[in-house]
Amino acid sequence: MSKEDIGITVAKDDDFSEWYTQIVLKAKLADYAPVKGLIVLRPDGYSIWESIRNTFDKKFANNGIRNGFLPVLIPESLLGKEQKHFAGFNPEVFWVTHSGKNKVGDRLALRPTSETLAYTLYSKWIQSWRDLPLKINFWNTALRAEIKATKPFLRTSEFLWQEGHTVHATKEEAEKEVMKILEIYKKMVEEELAIPVTTGKKSEKEKFVGAVYTTTMEAIMPDGKALQMGTSHFLGQNFSKPFEVKFADKDNVEHFAWQTSWGVSWRLIGAMIMTHGDNQGLVLPPKVAPIQVVIVPIYKKEEDKSKVLSKVEEIKKNLEPDGIRVYVDDRSELSPGYKFNDWELKGVPIRMEIGPKDIEKQSVVIAKRYNQEKSSLNVTEIEKIPQMLDEIQENMLNAAREQSMKNTMNIVNYPEFTSKIESGGFFKAAWCGKVECEEKIKEETGADIRVIPFGSDNTSEKCVYCKEQSASIPIFARGY
């Protein structure tokens, strides 16, 4: 028996980091690549990413966004066009300096993000108001030198993501786009991955380099650390001016365009693992599960085999027209107990067990992964399975919301802040709006402003750090 076959050997509450890594590897979502900082997606892991991608593609298309493709290499001369933006990424950039034995001349960056490349092209594609709005999404990999503290899906040197880049004739239209995208992100993460998020703005200090402002969605993980789930940026004209993204209006007067950019990455998969997993392994929300129902036939006598397998095939055929992803585990060399543990580790939402006695009673045994509940279901009620999957999806989101609420605290003074930060969580605390206080809190506690929730403006409290009049009630936390 290989190490891969052994179940999770640490408890979630005892060693969260090791527990997480074991699930990624043993549930066969991903594995480590030969190059430090890189991972390989296995079929189940990629299937979850495809599900995320397909959902976004539908939502993007409904918003008039189309997909394109960008190359991974960016000339250094292009990156220098927006110095402030590129300076934020420079320490993380991988460089290509040679082609074979020959120097390439202008160094080529392996894409850390695509603003500079996309907007060089946009300046060619946009000439008049008729070309606007231009709304393109790119499914790419990005590369950033995360070598020291890597963790699968959460922090790797290469990662899968989508990055959208839109161009508009007016500031108002661009700002509406920023909020539309943030709402698309929120709905997808909550409705498909069953992870509750808080939306709002980043502080000036934490915003995307080159943006006028950054909107974000943040989630609190069960270990008390925050995870940024996605961002949508209003770029204003900060890129259109250096890259000359201009258009002629109906009166043939030339204007600089208004822009947005936005993205999520496969860290959504990491968040899903951490939020829902338990000591037995992965727990998958039904909407993104590669397999939603696994059927395990059980028989000891050879004469029972054909009868059981025939009933299993009948049930499978009844489920598939409803779009349910069904898999029959007919591996004869493995015991039913081994199979049960294997599918629990892989997080399949519903396990169905069928043996000779079940056939006699015209029933099947149903085991729900998320709460370990087992029950009998009459074979005439198989049509209830889609409803059951919907209920599991809803209950998983409700449980995650409950966990998030337990991990969210209102903090009224700084001693309380410093005493509780070690235990982790979302800390709602008044802030004066000054970067000096923000930096001091980060320096002294390791917590930063994760999000300033929409509607959290407040001038009636006192800043948790300096005791001056507050400007808002942001959420502070230590993060991944």
Side-chain angles (χ1 to χ4, degrees), residues 16 39-40 54 68 74 87-89 94 108 115 170 188 206 209 215 245 258 283 287 311 329 335 340 387 402 467:
F16 191 83
I39 63 171
V40 176
N54 291 341
I74 305 174
F89 289 102
F94 289 104
L108 301 172
E115 278 77 8
T170 68
M188 188 279 165
E206 296 294 330
V209 181
T215 65
V245 182
W258 300 84
V283 180
K287 287 188 178 179
K311 177 57 72 172
D329 187 352
S335 70
F340 297 165
Q387 179 187 341
E402 211 172 296
K467 298 302 181 186

Side-chain angles (χ1 to χ4, degrees), residues 307-337:
K307 181 170 64 173
V308 171
L309 291 180
S310 176
K311 177 57 72 172
V312 164
E313 192 59 31
E314 178 189 323
I315 291 172
K316 180 174 183 281
K317 286 181 178 178
N318 286 338
L319 290 172
E320 287 178 331
D322 289 322
I324 295 173
R325 298 182 287 277
V326 188
Y327 179 78
V328 176
D329 187 352
D330 57 1
R331 294 176 289 178
S332 59
E333 72 279 11
L334 298 174
S335 70

Side-chain angles (χ1 to χ4, degrees), residues 60 63 65 119 133-135 162 164-168 170-186 199-202 208 211-217 230-237 258-264 454:
F60 292 160
N63 198 40
I65 299 162
Y119 304 158
L134 178 64
K135 302 200 278 188
Q162 58 75 211
H165 300 276
T166 71
V167 188
H168 305 267
T170 68
K171 177 176 183 283
E172 293 73 24
E173 188 181 298
E175 290 192 282
K176 280 182 183 176
E177 190 74 14
V178 169
M179 296 308 298
K180 277 185 195 172
I181 296 299
L182 190 66
E183 186 59 24
I184 286 172
Y185 284 167
K186 178 182 169 71
T199 55
K201 286 186 176 181
K202 287 287 191 184
F208 179 65
V212 176
Y213 61 79
T214 290
T215 65
T216 184
M217 59 177 180
T231 49
S232 182
H233 317 287
F234 175 58
L235 304 180
Q237 296 176 318
W258 300 84
Q259 294 180 256
T260 80
S261 71
W262 28 273
V264 298
F454 297 121

Side-chain angles (χ1 to χ4, degrees), residues 126-129 132 168-169 246-249 253-257:
I126 296 169
Q127 302 299 322
S128 83
W129 61 275
L132 298 177
H168 305 267
K246 298 182 287 188
F247 69 98
D249 67 15
V253 177
E254 201 169 60
H255 303 273
F256 286 107

